[in-house]
Amino acid sequence: MESNKQVILFQRDEVALGYKYKLENPLTSDIKILSIDYDLENMLEDENIKILGPKPKENSLYYLHPYKKNTYVHESLDEDYFLKEKMTLFKKIAQDLGAKKIEIEVVQYKQKKRDIDAKGSAEYKFIKIKSGVHDEKINKYKQSFKIEEEFEIQENFDIGKNIDYYKGYIKEHFLEHETDLISLIESRDSRKMGSLLKKSKIHSEITHEYNRLVEISVGLISPVFFFFSNFSKKIEELNQVEVDITFEF
């Protein structure tokens, strides 16, 4: 199995083999339909692939982990899991760049709803949220994802090695949209210019990667697939959560 597929769905063998001939529109290259009868065994035996969540069965949907190589996450782990994973990533990068302190605070919450036009094309558009509902939601995110942590640099700290690692990590995990984070990493590299960033505040949409996976999986809406009944409802709305992250070095 190609390890770069963003979304995989397990189906009966006859469906996995013949779905291409029954679809009105072809699936994107980010989606892979696997046979629960034959492909699953190969996947479980592959030491390079990890599966998080329930063991795959017919109709199981998995997302490629945005920040861990060759790791697939069951869709039931949902948004909170992915957001906590991104918070963990930010903390790890801060620590590895030599930060003494990191603070993360949720500052913006929006919601997008899937809109289908007369031709059947679908796209996500922002909707107006009632004030009370908005305040309740953003307070929930603020409580769940607020972070204040301090670090102490040790003698074996090697900032050059860490910077080189994260430059490759950004490309490998398709995080090029995190331009502020990339700039932060580069600003901590004194090998060329001889200066080091001491404090920075960046802005990030922490739901970006999860929402992208959900939007890719919209392509699976078809009577060709035997799919779980609540899937259509699950992808109707997407949250957009933005944070401010302060790094002190």
Side-chain angles (χ1 to χ4, degrees):
M1 188 193 78
E2 302 97 323
S3 60
N4 61 345
K5 298 301 180 183
Q6 301 293 305
V7 176
I8 59 175
L9 173 67
F10 286 95
Q11 295 282 271
R12 297 198 310 265
D13 190 54
E14 58 267 32
V15 177
L17 289 174
Y19 74 92
K20 295 179 182 178
Y21 308 103
K22 299 179 182 180
L23 290 176
E24 292 185 10
N25 300 306
L27 297 179
T28 71
S29 60
D30 289 316
I31 299 176
K32 184 71 173 178
I33 308 299
L34 296 182
S35 166
I36 193 66
D37 304 298
Y38 298 103
D39 295 321
L40 175 59
E41 184 177 353
N42 293 332
M43 189 174 179
L44 294 176
E45 291 178 352
D46 191 333
E47 296 180 355
N48 295 317
I49 296 177
K50 295 181 180 179
I51 301 175
L52 302 181
K55 181 180 178 180
K57 58 183 180 179
E58 185 181 345
N59 300 328
S60 291
L61 177 69
Y62 287 82
Y63 295 136
L64 181 64
H65 197 298
Y67 324 116
K68 294 180 180 178
K69 190 174 182 179
N70 296 340
T71 300
Y72 282 89
V73 182
H74 191 267
E75 56 83 24
S76 63
L77 293 181
D78 228 328
E79 179 189 75
D80 279 2
Y81 169 81
F82 286 89
L83 299 194
K84 288 176 181 177
E85 287 290 276
K86 189 154 191 180
M87 295 295 95
T88 299
L89 174 65
F90 281 132
K91 288 194 296 181
K92 186 69 169 62
I93 291 177
Q95 187 173 5
D96 290 346
L97 291 180
K100 295 178 181 178
K101 186 176 182 181
I102 180 176
E103 294 184 2
I104 303 178
E105 183 178 10
V106 174
V107 294
Q108 182 69 269
Y109 162 75
K110 299 178 183 177
Q111 192 175 78
K112 296 188 289 185
K113 189 167 185 178
R114 188 164 168 261
D115 183 58
I116 303 176
D117 62 23
K119 296 181 180 180
S121 298
E123 63 176 326
Y124 285 94
K125 296 181 179 179
F126 286 110
I127 61 175
K128 187 174 182 179
I129 308 172
K130 292 181 180 179
S131 178
V133 174
H134 176 274
D135 292 344
E136 182 180 345
K137 286 279 190 178
I138 199 168
N139 284 335
K140 172 197 167 186
Y141 283 115
K142 282 184 175 182
Q143 291 174 9
S144 298
F145 303 113
K146 183 177 176 62
I147 289 174
E148 290 186 19
E149 292 197 6
E150 297 183 6
F151 310 100
E152 183 178 2
I153 294 176
Q154 301 299 302
E155 290 183 2
N156 61 341
F157 177 70
D158 187 339
I159 190 170
K161 178 181 177 181
N162 295 344
I163 287 171
D164 291 340
Y165 168 78
Y166 281 111
K167 285 181 178 179
Y169 184 95
I170 291 291
K171 293 179 180 179
E172 184 177 318
H173 293 270
F174 308 104
L175 294 171
E176 287 89 350
H177 60 276
E178 291 283 0
T179 54
D180 288 336
L181 184 59
I182 294 171
S183 178
L184 176 74
I185 295 170
E186 292 176 346
S187 297
R188 288 293 293 165
D189 191 349
S190 65
R191 291 171 293 186
K192 291 182 180 180
M193 303 305 294
S195 63
L196 279 175
L197 180 72
K198 298 297 292 181
K199 185 174 182 178
S200 179
K201 187 174 185 178
I202 71 173
H203 188 83
S204 175
E205 181 200 336
I206 60 173
T207 42
H208 178 91
E209 291 79 29
Y210 175 72
N211 287 347
R212 179 175 178 272
L213 291 168
V214 173
E215 290 184 41
I216 290 172
S217 63
V218 169
L220 293 168
I221 297 296
S222 168
V224 172
F225 301 116
F226 299 91
F227 216 35
F228 44 90
S229 58
N230 67 337
F231 181 67
S232 296
K233 183 177 181 180
K234 180 176 182 178
I235 63 175
E236 284 179 359
E237 295 178 344
L238 295 178
N239 298 317
Q240 180 173 306
V241 181
E242 299 173 17
V243 298
D244 279 342
I245 311 167
T246 302
F247 300 85
E248 293 185 14
F249 299 95

